[in-house]
């Protein structure tokens, strides 16, 4: 009899009737609340809910956004009851009390309360019910709802670290922005005099470096030591999510010392003032062209093998490009992986937004970067020369002339050259716009007519985009054009370890 009475009392404590005795108001919290993380994106049909039940089991639920709240709460109650039943089976005390075998634990009362403490009606759709700051109650346990909190989806460090060169981590976040994240850098503790590295039970010991910025430049004193980054995602509302840490795969290595671009950086320490624009055009030598036997033995025999390695060249490229303090950067021969994993994250840390266009049937393409606090993107247009030549009436005259020379026409149409056009608008004066055209034309000493035909084709391509940017008759409308054109001529004479021909202008 006493066993049945105790069981009835336990059910009464968790019953909905007991829960609603306070008139549907949120009971006072007993201690610190746990977290219930809700991810709800309007473009997705389901929302996710993550929390840890009182028995210690983690739950990750997917529910339809349009589903009534009551169904989701009923599912939570079922999961909580199963957790209680499993915990009871493992409890020697529960078995000693002689509960009947197979007894199903009573489902706890589960309710959701708004930030004001009012119970949320069970017919409210999930998308509207699970708001930030709401409180989920499961039995006596309370959870603070965090809707779409800042979260890191990716945190990586470059594989190659050089002393004196900036380390730019790749940071991808959801409901957060890198400029609002918190960064802490650590260095590996140097081995003691006996040669044994100081380490704890969980691995090497780390010492915090005097750096709290997204970009960290290791000094020569850190050569031979690994780095660790701790990043806490944040947003503009000063909400912060759980931090993540990442360690470098290798130690900091000695840099090459003084570089040829150091003297040029003396003239570009600051970003141009209002009314001026600094543009940089740069062929960075795609890795697919640098790692062939022909490249090593014929084109770049003067380069040591390590100088042609992609990781090494990326360190030099990122430092050089960042040091020009450019407003516009047009790059050619950009590997897709280099853009995504290296250049875009690095230049983003210096305030530049990047656009990429890969060539047809190629592994490399074009990249255009613009300074975010000076420009916003109005439109982006990617044009394949061969397609434009055949389909655009503006090029009919040139197409008719090429038709007289079938062999030349065939070669021109086979080329994968593209034109990347970006129409930008000034952030301080919307009436001022600039059209940035970036291209890399084909050139070969035995086929000069191919590149010539592409150059003839260019003037007719831009006017439609200039007109689309705004009415040319408007008095307050201005459109400039920045044309970054590169036609390879004598590549072997001009390229060296990826520090190839470049153009930097300020006007």
């Amino acid at each position: 009899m006493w066993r049945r009475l105790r069981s009835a009392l336990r059910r009464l404590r968790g019953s909905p009737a007991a829960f609603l005795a306070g008139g549907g108001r949120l009971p006072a919290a007993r201690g610190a609340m746990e977290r219930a993380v809700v991810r709800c994106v309007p473009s997705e049909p389901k929302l996710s809910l993550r929390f840890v039940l009182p028995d210690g089991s983690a739950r990750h639920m997917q529910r339809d956004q349009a589903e009534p709240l009551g169904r989701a709460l009923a599912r939570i109650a079922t999961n909580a009851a199963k957790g209680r039943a499993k915990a009871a089976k493992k409890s020697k005390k529960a078995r000693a009390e002689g509960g009947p075998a197979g007894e199903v634990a009573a489902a706890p009362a589960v309710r959701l309360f708004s930030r004001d403490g009012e119970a949320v009606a069970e017919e409210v759709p999930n998308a509207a019910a699970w708001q930030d700051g709401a409180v989920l109650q499961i039995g006596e346990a309370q959870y603070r709802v965090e809707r779409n909190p800042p979260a890191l989806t990716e945190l990586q460090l470059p594989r190659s670290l050089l002393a004196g060169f900036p380390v730019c981590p790749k940071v991808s976040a959801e409901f957060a922005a890198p400029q609002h994240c918190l960064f802490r850098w650590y260095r590996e503790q140097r081995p003691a005099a006996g040669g044994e590295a100081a380490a704890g039970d969980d691995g090497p010991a780390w010492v915090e470096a005097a750096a709290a910025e997204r970009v960290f430049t290791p000094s020569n004193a850190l050569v031979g030591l690994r780095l660790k980054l701790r990043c806490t995602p944040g947003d503009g509302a000063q909400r912060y999510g759980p931090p993540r840490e990442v360690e470098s795969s290798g130690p900091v290595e000695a840099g090459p010392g003084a570089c040829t671009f150091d003297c040029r950086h003396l003239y570009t320490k600051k970003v141009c003032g209002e009314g001026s624009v600094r543009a940089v055009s740069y062929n960075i030598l795609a890795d697919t062209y640098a790692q062939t036997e022909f490249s090593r033995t014929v084109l770049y025999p003067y380069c040591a093998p390590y100088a042609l390695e992609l990781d090494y060249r990326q360190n030099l490229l990122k430092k050089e490009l960042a040091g020009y303090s450019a407003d516009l950067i047009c790059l050619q021969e950009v590997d897709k992986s280099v853009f995504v994993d290296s250049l875009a994250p690095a230049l983003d840390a210096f305030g530049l937004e990047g656009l990429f266009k890969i060539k047809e049937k190629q592994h490399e393409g074009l990249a255009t970067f613009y300074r975010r606090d000076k420009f916003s993107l109005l439109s982006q247009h990617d044009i394949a020369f061969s397609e434009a030549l055949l389909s655009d009436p503006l090029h009919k005259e040139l197409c008719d002339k090429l038709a007289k020379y079938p062999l030349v026409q065939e070669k021109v149409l086979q080329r994968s050259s593209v034109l990347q056009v970006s129409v930008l608008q000034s952030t301080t004066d919307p009436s001022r716009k600039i059209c940035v055209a970036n291209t890399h034309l084909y050139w070969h000493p035995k086929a000069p007519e191919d590149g010539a035909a592409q150059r003839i084709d260019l003037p007719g391509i831009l006017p439609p985009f200039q007109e689309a940017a705004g009415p040319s008759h408007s008095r307050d409308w201005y459109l400039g054009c920045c044309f970054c054109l590169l036609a390879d001529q004598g590549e072997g004479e001009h390229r060296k370890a990826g520090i190839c021909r470049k153009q930097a202008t300020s006007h």
Side-chain angles (χ1 to χ4, degrees):
M1 184 179 70
W2 287 107
R3 295 193 198 99
R4 287 195 292 271
L5 180 59
R6 282 195 296 267
S7 178
L9 288 173
R10 284 197 297 268
R11 291 191 180 93
L12 181 60
R13 291 193 190 103
S15 67
F19 206 124
L20 296 175
R25 294 285 300 177
L26 174 66
R30 298 182 181 180
M33 290 190 188
E34 298 288 340
R35 300 170 66 236
V37 179
V38 175
R39 182 184 179 277
C40 183
V41 181
S43 61
E44 298 178 5
K46 294 181 179 292
L47 60 76
S48 66
L49 176 61
R50 292 186 290 111
F51 57 92
V52 178
L53 288 170
D55 60 73
S57 59
R59 287 290 182 268
H60 188 186
M61 302 172 59
Q62 297 280 340
R63 309 299 298 183
D64 288 333
Q65 294 195 27
E67 175 190 62
L69 172 65
R71 294 185 183 178
L73 297 182
R75 184 63 180 175
I76 294 174
T78 301
N79 289 337
K82 291 180 180 179
R84 285 184 175 183
K86 290 181 180 179
K89 289 181 181 179
K90 295 179 181 180
S91 172
K92 293 182 179 180
K93 182 178 179 181
R95 288 197 298 268
E97 291 178 352
E103 180 183 2
V104 178
V110 179
R111 296 294 302 274
L112 183 67
F113 296 88
S114 68
R115 282 173 292 195
D116 299 329
E118 297 291 338
V120 181
E122 293 188 350
E123 61 270 14
V124 176
N126 280 326
W130 298 94
Q131 295 296 324
D132 192 59
V135 175
L136 171 66
Q137 182 117 12
I138 305 176
E140 296 182 355
Q142 292 184 348
Y143 300 78
R144 178 70 64 184
V145 174
E146 297 181 14
R147 179 173 172 135
N148 296 340
L152 291 172
T153 57
E154 188 175 17
L155 183 64
Q156 291 184 1
L157 291 178
R159 289 180 295 180
S160 175
L161 308 176
L162 295 181
F165 289 76
V167 179
C168 307
K170 183 180 181 181
V171 181
S172 299
E174 192 174 41
F175 315 118
Q179 62 267 29
H180 298 302
C181 296
L182 304 179
F183 297 92
R184 289 289 184 271
W185 290 90
Y186 300 84
R187 63 170 177 83
E188 197 174 18
Q189 187 167 332
R190 191 170 291 280
E196 294 293 332
D201 296 336
D202 299 328
W206 297 93
V207 179
E208 185 169 358
E213 302 293 334
R214 180 178 176 182
V215 178
F216 174 62
T217 302
S219 65
N220 289 329
L222 300 185
V223 171
L225 303 178
R226 293 191 304 134
L227 300 180
K228 182 174 76 170
L229 172 63
R230 179 184 177 89
C231 178
T232 304
D235 60 12
Q238 294 187 337
R239 296 192 308 161
Y240 294 97
R244 285 176 61 175
E245 294 183 348
V246 60
E247 299 176 8
S248 63
S249 58
V252 176
E253 299 177 350
C259 297
T260 56
F261 52 76
D262 290 336
C263 59
R264 292 192 288 270
H265 286 175
L266 296 176
Y267 302 94
T268 59
K269 291 183 176 180
K270 296 181 179 180
V271 177
C272 289
E274 187 175 354
S276 298
V277 175
R278 180 178 296 134
V280 172
S281 180
Y282 201 158
N283 181 330
I284 66 173
L285 178 58
D287 188 54
T288 187
Y289 305 142
Q291 297 305 320
T292 64
E293 187 65 24
F294 182 77
S295 298
R296 296 190 182 97
T297 58
V298 179
L299 294 180
Y300 321 114
Y302 44 79
C303 287
Y306 77 87
L308 288 174
E309 291 296 329
L310 181 61
D311 289 341
Y312 177 84
R313 293 195 297 121
Q314 287 306 300
N315 279 293
L316 274 66
L317 286 167
K318 288 182 285 189
K319 183 176 182 178
E320 180 172 6
L321 292 174
Y324 288 134
S325 304
D327 302 304
L328 300 171
I329 298 179
C330 294
L331 304 179
Q332 301 86 33
E333 288 195 20
V334 183
D335 297 275
K336 183 177 181 180
S337 60
V338 169
F339 176 84
V340 174
D341 298 326
S342 179
L343 291 178
L347 296 180
D348 177 76
F350 291 98
L352 295 162
E353 191 74 24
L355 306 169
F356 180 74
K357 171 59 180 176
I358 196 166
K359 292 181 181 179
E360 295 291 334
K361 304 176 184 179
Q362 300 289 336
H363 298 287
E364 48 90 6
L366 306 169
T368 298
F369 293 85
Y370 60 91
R371 190 163 295 279
R372 279 190 299 265
D373 59 1
K374 274 195 174 183
F375 299 107
S376 60
L377 181 66
L378 283 182
S379 60
Q380 178 185 357
H381 313 273
D382 301 318
I383 304 103
F385 281 102
S386 58
E387 294 180 6
L389 187 61
L390 294 176
S391 60
D392 197 328
L394 292 172
H395 313 301
K396 185 179 185 303
E397 182 180 357
L398 176 60
C399 195
D400 291 341
K401 291 181 179 179
L402 285 175
K404 299 178 182 179
Y405 308 93
L407 293 179
V408 175
Q409 183 186 45
E410 182 182 2
K411 289 183 179 180
V412 170
L413 295 179
Q414 286 177 349
R415 303 307 170 203
S416 59
S417 300
V418 295
L419 175 66
Q420 185 184 40
V421 181
S422 308
V423 181
L424 307 176
Q425 183 180 53
S426 170
T427 56
T428 57
D429 184 359
S431 67
R432 298 177 67 86
K433 303 176 180 68
I434 185 168
C435 181
V436 182
N438 180 19
T439 189
H440 183 197
L441 301 184
Y442 176 84
W443 182 88
H444 194 280
K446 294 184 179 180
E449 65 278 358
D450 293 10
Q454 292 176 343
R455 284 190 285 272
I456 294 173
D457 198 30
L458 286 172
I461 293 179
L462 287 182
F465 303 114
Q466 292 175 307
E467 292 298 328
S472 58
H473 60 272
S474 175
R475 294 182 180 180
D476 62 351
W477 180 80
Y478 166 83
L479 180 66
C481 181
C482 175
F483 215 127
C484 296
L485 179 151
L486 184 63
D488 290 337
Q489 298 184 14
E491 294 180 346
E493 299 176 2
H494 295 281
R495 289 182 178 169
K496 185 175 182 180
I499 311 302
C500 317
R501 293 190 310 282
K502 63 189 72 62
Q503 303 161 2
T505 59
S506 302
H507 59 276

